[in-house]
Amino acid sequence: MPRLGMVTECATVVRWLAVEGQRINAGTPLVEVETDKAIVEVEAPVDGVLRTIARNAGESVDVGAVLGEIAVEQGQTGGRPAAAPSGEEVAQSSGPAPKSSESPAVSNKQPMSSARKATPAARRRARMLGIDLDAVAASGPAGRLQLRDVEAVTGTPGLSGALPPIRRAIALAMTMSVRSIPQFTVSRTASLAMFDDSKRRGAAAYSEPAVRPSITDFLILAAAKALVTHPDLNATFHARGTDGDGEIRLATGTRVGLVVAVSGGVRVPVMSDAEQRSMQEVAGLRSRLVAAAIAGRLRPVEMEGAVLSISNLGANGPDRFNAIINPGESYILAVGRRREVAVVEAGQIVIRAVADLTLTADHRLVDGTGATALLNTLVELIEGGDPFLFNRKHDS
Amino acid sequence: MTEVTSACGYLRQMWLIRVFEEHVARLSKAGEVPGFVHLCSGQEAVAVGTCAALEDGDYLFSSHRGHGHFLARGSDPYGVLTEILGRQDGLCGGYGGSMHLVDAQRGALGATGVVGGNIPLCAGAAWAAAEAGRGRVAVVFFGDGAGGSGVFHETLNLAALWRLPMLFVCENNGYAEFTSREEHSVVKHLSEFCAPYGIANTVVDGNDVLAVQSAAAPMVAAARGGSGPQFLECLTYRLSGHYEGDSMSYRDKAEMAAWVARDPILRLHRQLTELGVEDAALARIEADVRDELDQVLARAVAAVPPAADRVLEGVLGDLPGRESGA
Amino acid sequence: MDDQITFIEAIRRALDAEMSRDPSVYVIGEDVAVGGPFGATKGLVARHGISRVRNTPISEAAICGMCVGASLCGMRPVVEIMFMDFLTLALDALVNQAAKYRHMSGGQLSVPMVVRTQAGAAGGAAAQHSQSLEAWLLHVPGLVVMAPSSPVEAYGMLRAAIRLNDPVVFVEHKRLYGMRQSPPNPDLLIPAGRAHVVREGTDATVVTYSNMLHPVLEVAERRRQAGQSIEVIDLRTLAPLDMATIVRSVGKTHRLAIVHEAVLTGGIGAEIAARIATDAFDELDAEIVRVGCASAPIAFAPVLESAVLPGHREIDAALDQLFR
């Protein structure tokens, strides 16, 4: 594990980018590690074969400790010594078989008792709150996880009564949004019939439950497509001063955010260019982003730049609600709960599953007409069962 | 009490101690006695003669070889034996054992396995007795090995300085553990240490109970009367080893034979016969003692051990915080 | 008008009070009849008579043994052993006799004696007159060990010690002898066996006793101004330990340091640390740190003495470690 900064003493492995037995070239990113500042890639120092992975995803590794072993072939010169052991060096712990690079950094199936260094008090607090220690960033000496780290994740106030970081961030953001963005809402009730239908038809194709597309994936895809359909609305307003003046900047590509509930608050991971992905891809990416959000492991690039975010309060949520735009964005789509209502179709009363969609828009950027247009496109995509939604050309 | 009556009383007590120690020896060989046991067989006259000079309320401190002192002072043989066997009915509930007998109600305030360790305790008891002003004295028994201990000399000094009402009784059997006197002391008799401290002292034949009593009585009276500490040296011999199991290879056979001939019980037998007591009467004394102790023995070996779950109690008295984990 | 009294005067008053109240209380030791080497017994002869305040020869073994014997017979002796270093000479009486009597006799007897002794480094007293040996005594079941941190504490605690029916070693720190305080209420009695939370806090617990209470409090106050809330516990009684108070505190603060002048190795702090690591393991949010004297005799030259003794700097460093 190389030293990555003056202060960093240890890091946590996020994921391996190669598998044991894989041939690698010097300079190839081998593993992602997270320090207290950022997620960085550690490159292979030499050509060779990745013989052993010593630290797996979620495990912490001190600077200077063995991350893995590379078998250097005869006749090749060694590279930088940092992670290039001689054949005699023994990995500190030969871990289990490496997880696939697609697996999330955090799995809810891991046992609570973790190999990480954590104080007894921190362990007990995590146990009581049902928090996976691997999901908590450590701030103590030499990577030791302390009470305050668990408290930061849970939002439990520290002993001094101060706001935990996540609550504070939300408080600041929402206050700024309400103060600086004149926002209004438009709503429609969308029928979920087509969604249910496509889901049924596509069910056979999706074997892994975790990546079975949900209404959220549908909405992400639909939102991205809607933004593409209205390129003039795929923009953000940048204020100059406080009296409402500023400029509009059009976005390139689509960036759709998803409001994820975490302990103590929310985080908003962002997905780019969802309209170019298949439903399965979106579902898989959505799943990883949600996990990373819960674990507090989102990369900066995954947290910024959304134009529209989606907030779904789930099956037990309200029928409808008005969400507040995240600062820096232009829209937020509040998704009410799925419910069954009686509707009139072709002169008949039928029972349909519906959900209310409420779009909050930045009035500096768009008027009621524009917001309605965007919302209508969204609803048409959801109700229309556009076959584009089932584009499988990216399926692996 | 006539001379004969009291002498018969002494005989009975010496038999009590003798037979008692025989039982303990047998039990020890049979593995019934936990730990170390030190028998005083052959030294009975010292205990009996000295205790005969004491009154109720006087204090007594004993040595590791102390069964005889307690029996001579009147302790219940059953309580002493069960204590030696480590049973709940023992004088100390099984908590003290052979070397740490205590019979507080008889003023027998302790024995110790630390040679000479309770000599200063006796001085303290004498000090308390003097201050209480009820005329009590304190007596401490120790062997000649205690002369090597620093605290022995410190106590002689202090007792003399403060004129403490105490009696030092040295059971000089010529051996300190396995070392003969010649090797462990420059003086033949510990009483030779008394002169520098100005302590009244006497050397007596420790195997003649009448002689011991005759020597002890005036000394006890003198101490009680405020004359200060007194030192009685009793020359005697132990018939058994330093402890049961000691093979006594360090002792000269002829030396032993000479002392066996001077057995204190035999001595008193002869003296009582000279005073006109019939053999039958003397034999009955022994027989009665044997009968009594046979019953004591039977009860004692059947007695239950102390309850182990109470062992942490009684370490300290008043404190609320018996600390967690103590 | 300065009506403050010194620590040594508080001791004297405690002895006087108990001797007045209970005729079985006696005071002996080297030079006590003339007031004692430190003045603790000044004036007592005049008030209580020459037989109750008595000089002894330099015979620590015998005089402690005598106290044991006397307390078996209804007396309550208080013996002064001039330097705790000399307790070594009296250990047979204390350890093999005094500590054992109640238990060994099956409860027939107990030993209500007090050994007052002076411990600690005082600047140039050197290795044989500077020790703090209380940890040895904690190791012997049957002994009570108390260590007051101030004049008022000393007064109340000594009176309680004299009234206890078990042997007490009362450890007075030389450097506290000149400490001044307003006189205590004459009826003050501070019972043995309970620690005292001197200062409440929420971020860390510091357990200490005797002279080290004062630098600990000073450091705690400095840190309060920097935003750290330190709870300070004065043990008062070192044996038996009041672990309940310490456990309760650690349950609140999750951080523990133990500070004493005595040598670190095998010290009272080591016992407390081990117990907390067992009995309050899940409360701990940091390793337990201890502050004590380094493992060397306390040498003569002042610079050598201060090099091994703990002080403000070491207490600060310990707290820094706790809060890493």
Side-chain angles (χ1 to χ4, degrees):
Chain A
M1 170 66 208
R3 178 171 288 281
L4 296 172
M6 288 294 288
V7 174
T8 302
E9 292 299 328
C10 88
T12 309
V13 176
V14 176
R15 62 178 180 144
W16 282 88
L17 304 168
V19 297
E20 282 179 359
Q22 184 174 330
R23 187 168 293 280
I24 50 180
N25 298 317
T28 316
L30 262 189
V31 55
E32 282 179 1
V33 298
E34 185 188 17
T35 66
D36 49 13
K37 293 200 188 324
I39 295 185
V40 292
E41 292 169 342
V42 175
E43 298 166 356
V46 288
D47 293 342
V49 173
L50 180 61
R51 193 169 82 185
T52 327
I53 289 177
R55 287 279 188 274
N56 287 291
E59 294 182 57
S60 68
V61 52
D62 289 343
V63 169
V66 175
L67 264 174
E69 290 179 2
I70 300 172
V72 178
E73 278 153 3
Q74 294 277 358
Q76 290 185 322
T77 56
R80 281 170 288 135
S86 65
E88 295 89 67
E89 254 180 46
V90 178
Q92 299 214 344
S93 68
S94 53
K99 302 182 174 70
S100 83
S101 57
E102 291 286 77
S103 65
V106 167
S107 158
N108 289 337
K109 296 187 186 63
Q110 278 180 7
M112 289 305 179
S113 154
S114 146
R116 296 188 60 191
K117 277 191 298 193
T119 68
R123 283 184 188 277
R124 184 182 56 176
R125 184 72 62 84
R127 208 161 47 230
M128 276 164 39
L129 296 173
I131 291 171
D132 187 345
L133 277 181
D134 288 345
V136 180
S139 69
R144 184 196 292 166
L145 208 158
Q146 297 178 304
L147 254 186
R148 64 182 177 223
D149 303 320
V150 178
E151 286 168 354
V153 168
T154 64
T156 313
L159 289 166
S160 59
L163 279 180
I166 197 170
R167 271 267 51 91
R168 190 162 182 276
I170 294 169
L172 263 59
M174 293 296 100
T175 303
M176 175 161 61
S177 173
V178 166
R179 276 191 189 147
S180 62
I181 305 177
Q183 30 196 302
F184 67 99
T185 60
V186 291
S187 319
R188 278 208 41 198
T189 304
S191 162
L192 300 179
M194 224 16 125
F195 167 74
D196 287 343
D197 199 40
S198 0
K199 214 169 116 168
R200 254 191 314 278
R201 277 187 277 125
Y206 306 118
S207 49
E208 224 196 292
V211 291
R212 201 166 285 152
S214 66
I215 184 65
T216 304
D217 302 315
F218 222 83
L219 288 164
I220 293 172
L221 205 43
K225 284 179 175 299
L227 287 172
V228 164
T229 308
H230 300 276
D232 55 318
L233 300 180
N234 184 18
T236 48
F237 187 90
H238 294 261
R240 264 197 302 269
T242 53
D243 52 1
D245 196 9
E247 63 176 22
I248 292 174
R249 293 185 199 159
L250 297 176
T252 50
T254 65
R255 292 181 65 74
V256 176
L258 180 63
V259 179
V260 176
V262 301
S263 281
V266 297
R267 288 201 181 102
V268 186
V270 176
M271 194 184 303
S272 319
D273 304 317
E275 77 286 358
Q276 295 177 25
R277 303 176 193 268
S278 72
M279 182 68 90
Q280 187 182 20
E281 267 185 26
V282 168
L285 191 49
R286 182 265 306 158
S287 167
R288 281 199 294 284
L289 284 172
V290 167
I294 290 172
R297 299 264 191 79
L298 290 170
R299 290 179 260 183
V301 68
E302 291 168 335
M303 281 167 48
E304 292 161 1
V307 169
L308 179 152
S309 284
I310 298 171
S311 177
N312 184 346
L313 288 175
N316 293 321
D319 293 345
R320 70 199 65 81
F321 65 105
N322 301 349
I324 299 174
I325 298 173
N326 294 320
E329 300 178 13
S330 301
Y331 313 96
I332 185 159
L333 181 70
V335 183
R337 72 181 178 92
R338 176 196 187 86
R339 59 207 168 83
E340 297 205 319
V341 297
V343 298
V344 178
E345 279 178 18
Q348 302 278 8
I349 292 183
V350 290
I351 309 295
R352 288 279 178 251
V354 300
D356 281 11
L357 304 179
T358 307
L359 182 72
T360 310
D362 182 345
H363 213 320
R364 301 168 299 177
L365 174 70
V366 63
D367 300 330
T369 322
T372 306
L374 191 60
L375 182 61
N376 284 345
T377 305
L378 256 169
V379 172
E380 276 160 26
L381 286 168
I382 289 166
E383 292 182 345
D386 186 339
F388 207 127
L389 285 176
F390 305 108
N391 183 349
R392 294 208 187 145
K393 72 175 189 250
H394 296 297
D395 286 352
S396 54
Chain B
M1 190 186 281
T2 69
E3 196 184 302
V4 167
T5 315
S6 33
C8 287
Y10 303 156
L11 182 64
R12 186 182 194 288
Q13 282 188 309
M14 288 201 289
W15 269 121
L16 187 69
I17 298 170
R18 179 68 59 93
V19 176
F20 184 95
E21 297 289 70
E22 281 174 14
H23 284 312
V24 173
R26 227 179 1 256
L27 288 167
S28 176
K29 277 197 184 62
E32 294 270 340
V33 180
F36 298 113
V37 76
H38 305 83
L39 302 180
C40 65
S41 315
Q43 301 182 192
E44 300 86 349
V46 180
V48 174
T50 307
C51 288
L54 297 178
E55 292 173 12
D56 285 344
D58 287 339
Y59 300 119
L60 180 151
F61 288 83
S62 172
S63 67
H64 56 282
R65 197 177 299 285
H67 307 162
H69 305 137
F70 282 78
L71 291 170
R73 192 71 177 116
S75 292
D76 178 6
Y78 175 68
V80 179
L81 187 55
T82 42
E83 185 59 34
I84 293 166
L85 293 174
R87 308 297 167 94
Q88 189 170 282
D89 283 345
L91 287 177
C92 304
Y95 280 63
S98 166
M99 289 192 289
H100 309 110
L101 298 171
V102 173
D103 193 353
Q105 62 183 354
R106 287 187 173 77
L109 299 184
T112 182
V114 181
V115 171
N118 60 5
I119 294 177
L121 271 66
C122 180
W127 174 38
E131 291 299 314
R134 283 200 287 273
R136 289 181 179 156
V137 302
V139 62
V140 59
F141 294 91
F142 49 91
D144 45 302
S149 131
V151 79
F152 166 76
H153 297 272
E154 286 186 29
T155 309
L156 285 178
N157 184 42
L158 255 169
L161 273 176
W162 289 14
R163 293 179 76 80
L164 296 177
M166 67 180 282
L167 180 64
F168 293 81
V169 180
C170 175
E171 293 174 289
N172 191 333
N173 59 22
Y175 285 90
E177 297 189 5
F178 313 116
T179 309
S180 71
R181 197 277 308 160
E182 289 77 14
E183 286 188 78
H184 74 74
S185 180
V186 288
V187 299
K188 188 156 179 242
H189 299 142
L190 258 60
S191 54
E192 293 174 54
F193 288 123
C194 290
Y197 296 107
I199 294 177
N201 63 92
T202 300
V203 180
V204 75
D205 178 356
N207 279 19
D208 181 345
V209 69
L210 298 178
V212 172
Q213 191 275 335
S214 303
M219 291 188 122
V220 168
R224 206 186 299 284
S227 298
Q230 315 281 315
F231 194 109
L232 179 64
E233 182 137 3
C234 303
L235 303 180
T236 181
Y237 197 78
R238 57 175 154 84
L239 293 176
S240 52
H242 168 58
Y243 61 89
E244 282 313 285
D246 172 11
S247 64
M248 295 192 278
S249 53
Y250 52 91
R251 297 220 274 190
D252 183 77
K253 297 282 190 291
E255 174 192 84
M256 267 199 83
W259 276 96
V260 168
R262 295 167 60 187
D263 184 305
I265 291 181
L266 287 178
R267 292 280 288 284
L268 188 56
H269 260 246
R270 280 200 293 277
Q271 285 162 320
L272 284 169
T273 306
E274 279 165 25
L275 286 173
V277 180
E278 289 171 10
D279 278 351
L282 296 177
R284 196 160 48 245
I285 292 175
E286 179 189 345
D288 284 348
V289 165
R290 286 194 185 275
D291 280 344
E292 179 191 335
L293 286 183
D294 281 343
Q295 289 175 40
V296 167
L297 177 67
R299 282 174 60 211
V301 295
V304 299
D309 56 3
R310 303 194 62 188
V311 71
L312 295 184
E313 297 170 16
V315 177
L316 290 173
D318 321 51
L319 287 182
R322 202 149 339 278
E323 74 259 42
S324 58
Chain C
M1 183 74 164
D2 180 19
D3 71 340
Q4 292 196 321
I5 62 166
T6 61
F7 187 107
I8 204 66
E9 169 62 17
I11 293 283
R12 198 200 61 76
R13 289 192 188 191
L15 291 172
D16 189 29
E18 290 307 295
M19 291 180 82
S20 301
R21 178 185 170 269
D22 182 352
S24 72
V25 178
Y26 281 68
V27 170
I28 64 170
E30 295 158 31
D31 303 326
V32 297
V34 296
F38 305 104
T41 50
K42 198 163 69 162
L44 292 181
V45 170
R47 287 171 58 76
H48 303 288
I50 56 170
S51 68
R52 289 182 71 197
V53 186
R54 229 163 155 173
N55 285 344
T56 64
I58 306 175
S59 306
E60 286 81 6
I63 64 181
C64 279
M66 276 185 65
C67 286
V68 177
S71 46
L72 296 176
C73 300
M75 197 188 262
R76 285 183 180 269
V78 181
V79 57
E80 179 170 319
I81 298 289
M82 201 189 296
F83 288 93
M84 193 168 195
D85 319 66
F86 303 156
L87 215 62
T88 50
L89 299 160
L91 282 178
D92 181 59
L94 280 177
V95 171
N96 290 328
Q97 310 291 345
K100 307 286 186 283
Y101 248 94
R102 185 192 280 273
H103 199 249
M104 206 162 63
S105 71
Q108 293 179 66
L109 296 166
S110 78
V111 180
M113 66 184 271
V114 175
V115 177
R116 284 184 46 244
T117 188
Q118 288 75 46
Q128 293 178 347
H129 288 65
S130 303
Q131 294 171 89
S132 298
L133 299 172
E134 54 272 7
W136 289 358
L137 308 173
L138 171 64
H139 195 62
V140 179
L143 287 179
V144 177
V145 182
M146 298 168 75
S149 55
S150 72
V152 170
E153 295 274 305
Y155 178 83
M157 287 168 65
L158 183 56
R159 295 182 71 213
I162 291 171
R163 298 186 193 196
L164 267 188
N165 290 325
D166 284 300
V168 180
V169 179
F170 196 80
V171 183
E172 303 162 9
H173 196 285
K174 299 181 194 63
R175 280 205 189 272
L176 291 178
Y177 270 10
M179 180 178 170
R180 305 188 81 89
Q181 239 182 350
S182 295
N185 182 323
D187 293 330
L188 179 65
L189 212 56
I190 299 178
R194 285 270 168 265
H196 178 218
V197 180
V198 177
R199 181 192 172 103
E200 290 194 4
T202 52
D203 297 338
T205 300
V206 179
V207 174
T208 184
Y209 59 89
S210 191
N211 65 319
M212 295 305 288
L213 175 65
H214 306 289
V216 166
L217 287 175
E218 283 159 20
V219 170
E221 178 54 26
R222 266 213 305 273
R223 284 183 169 246
R224 183 188 67 79
Q225 287 152 21
Q228 271 177 5
S229 168
I230 311 282
E231 178 146 299
V232 179
I233 298 179
D234 179 2
L235 281 176
R236 283 182 170 162
T237 298
L238 310 183
L241 281 167
D242 178 5
M243 289 307 301
T245 298
I246 303 174
V247 167
R248 205 160 39 236
S249 178
V250 174
K252 185 171 60 158
T253 66
H254 308 293
R255 288 181 161 72
L256 175 65
I258 307 128
V259 176
H260 50 59
E261 184 184 296
V263 169
L264 209 54
T265 303
I268 304 260
E271 176 66 19
I272 295 173
R275 295 232 191 147
I276 292 294
T278 314
D279 299 342
F281 181 70
D282 286 318
E283 300 297 347
L284 294 169
D285 201 30
E287 64 270 39
I288 303 171
V289 298
R290 296 174 296 146
V291 173
C293 182
S295 280
I298 295 172
F300 168 66
V303 62
L304 296 178
E305 179 175 312
S306 49
V308 297
L309 288 178
H312 292 78
R313 199 176 45 224
E314 286 74 20
I315 299 169
D316 252 324
L319 288 168
D320 284 341
Q321 187 177 353
L322 276 186
F323 285 108
R324 273 186 307 161

